[in-house]
């Protein structure tokens, strides 16, 4: 007799998808919380954390500096075109510094780091899962979350704020170069207004965002890598998912953090 297939209603399909999504969110939340708790309890694998800091921070420095030099220049070109209508090109430094420190510095740096490092973390951990190295760690009594995930979380939340600081500085340098040659703004005029426009709340917003973004990128990448199934194809899917999911979550978190931090530091 022919095999019978049970028809699935749309409601059943949506219910199963929702259940799977809720379980994934729960699993990710517990994993992220455990990695955060491990930071404050021994043992800590500092050598692994330092290696990850070098890979994430130093490895991403060149691309961040290159990208932000041109971002600063483009911002000057765009803002100057508007300020010239009112004869207020001197305000270009204010606009560039506020936009970089508050929003563009943390957000775009996080996206760059996610594209470069989230995929690497997911593929590395996924390969370890596929080759059963993670199971070997558990058999030897080593917590894979503490050994593999926590050092990457520490490295990411440490390096992303430093990369953001470099990005802000390089972006302002790029903006000054373009302003000097296109608007004939002097160095004293540009840098004085750029620095005076910033308040403590602006710097705090950029720092808080960068820490949160680093935590999101590292935990999502580790979660995707540690839950790999299906061999090498699963590693590829985890690599893609880590970049996509972390980038989307960074932008969503940016919206809520912007609202919260503007209210806190207004």
């Amino acid at each position: 007799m022919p095999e019978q297939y049970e028809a699935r209603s749309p409601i059943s399909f949506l219910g199963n998808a929702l259940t799977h999504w809720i379980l994934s969110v729960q699993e990710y939340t517990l994993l992220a919380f455990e990695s955060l708790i491990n930071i404050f309890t021994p043992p800590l694998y500092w050598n692994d954390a330092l290696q990850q800091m070098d890979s994430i921070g130093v490895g991403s420095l060149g691309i961040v500096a290159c990208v932000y030099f041109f971002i600063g220049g483009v911002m000057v070109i765009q803002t100057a075109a508007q300020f010239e209508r009112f004869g207020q090109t001197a305000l270009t430094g204010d606009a560039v510094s506020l936009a970089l420190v508050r929003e563009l510095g943390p957000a775009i740096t996080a996206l760059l780091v996610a594209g470069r490092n989230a995929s690497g973390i997911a593929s590395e951990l996924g390969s370890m899962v596929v080759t059963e190295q993670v199971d070997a760690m558990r058999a030897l009594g080593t917590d894979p979350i503490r050994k593999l995930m926590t050092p990457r979380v520490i490295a990411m939340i440490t390096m992303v704020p430093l990369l953001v600081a470099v990005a802000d500085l390089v972006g302002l340098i790029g903006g000054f170069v373009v302003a000097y040659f296109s608007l004939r703004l002097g160095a004293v005029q540009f840098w004085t207004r750029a620095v005076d426009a910033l308040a403590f709340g602006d710097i705090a917003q950029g720092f808080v965002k960068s820490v949160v973004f680093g935590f999101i990128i590292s935990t999502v990448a580790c979660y995707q890598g540690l839950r790999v199934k299906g061999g090498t194809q699963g590693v590829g899917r985890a690599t893609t998912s880590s970049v996509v999911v972390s980038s989307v979550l960074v932008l969503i978190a940016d919206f809520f953090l912007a609202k919260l931090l503007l209210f806190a530091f207004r």
Side-chain angles (χ1 to χ4, degrees):
M1 296 182 61
E3 184 178 358
Q4 299 294 324
Y5 293 94
E6 181 181 358
R8 298 179 62 185
S9 66
I11 296 178
S12 175
F13 178 80
L14 292 176
N16 292 334
L18 181 61
T19 301
H20 177 74
W21 182 80
I22 293 175
L23 291 176
S24 298
V25 171
Q26 180 185 20
E27 186 180 2
Y28 164 75
T29 303
L30 293 175
L31 194 67
F33 181 75
E34 183 179 353
S35 68
L36 192 62
I37 292 298
N38 289 340
I39 298 177
F40 305 100
T41 57
L44 294 175
Y45 298 92
W46 288 111
N47 289 334
D48 295 339
L50 291 174
Q51 291 177 3
Q52 294 300 319
M53 288 179 186
D54 177 72
S55 175
I56 295 170
V58 180
S60 303
L61 187 60
I63 186 174
V64 168
C66 178
V67 168
Y68 271 90
F69 182 86
F70 290 99
I71 286 178
V74 169
M75 290 185 61
V76 168
I77 293 173
Q78 293 291 345
T79 55
Q82 302 301 318
F83 287 142
E84 281 179 344
R85 299 180 181 180
F86 311 100
Q88 296 292 332
T89 55
L91 297 176
T92 303
D94 303 55
V96 173
S97 63
L98 287 173
L100 282 174
V101 172
R102 279 187 178 184
E103 184 60 38
L104 294 181
I108 299 183
T109 301
L111 295 178
L112 291 173
V113 171
R116 183 188 181 275
N117 296 287
S119 56
I121 292 174
S123 62
E124 182 180 1
L125 296 184
S127 299
M128 296 181 69
V129 171
V130 170
T131 56
E132 299 182 353
Q133 296 181 50
V134 175
D135 294 334
M137 285 185 181
R138 292 192 178 95
L140 295 173
T142 302
D143 183 5
I145 307 302
R146 185 181 294 275
K147 172 68 174 176
L148 300 176
M149 185 171 179
T150 301
R152 287 165 172 80
V153 173
I154 293 174
M156 193 70 76
I157 63 178
T158 304
M159 289 295 104
V160 171
L162 296 179
L163 289 172
V164 169
V166 173
D168 293 340
L169 176 61
V170 175
L172 286 173
I173 293 173
F176 165 69
V177 170
V178 175
Y180 179 80
F181 287 103
S182 63
L183 303 178
R184 296 297 185 264
L185 288 180
V188 175
Q189 184 181 18
F190 180 88
W191 288 104
T192 299
R193 295 199 64 92
V195 173
D196 291 344
L198 297 175
F200 173 77
D202 302 321
I203 299 173
Q205 288 183 54
F207 177 77
V208 172
K209 285 183 179 181
S210 59
V211 171
V212 174
F213 294 164
F215 180 75
I216 290 173
I217 294 169
S218 57
T219 51
V220 169
C222 292
Y223 169 72
Q224 293 291 341
L226 291 174
R227 67 190 292 266
V228 165
K229 296 178 182 178
T232 55
Q233 291 183 346
V235 175
R237 289 192 296 268
T239 301
T240 304
S241 298
S242 64
V243 177
V244 174
V245 174
S246 60
S247 298
V248 171
L249 289 180
V250 161
L251 295 176
I252 293 174
D254 186 32
F255 172 80
F256 291 102
L257 286 173
K259 296 287 289 184
L260 178 62
L261 293 173
L262 284 175
F263 176 78
F265 293 103
R266 65 181 180 180

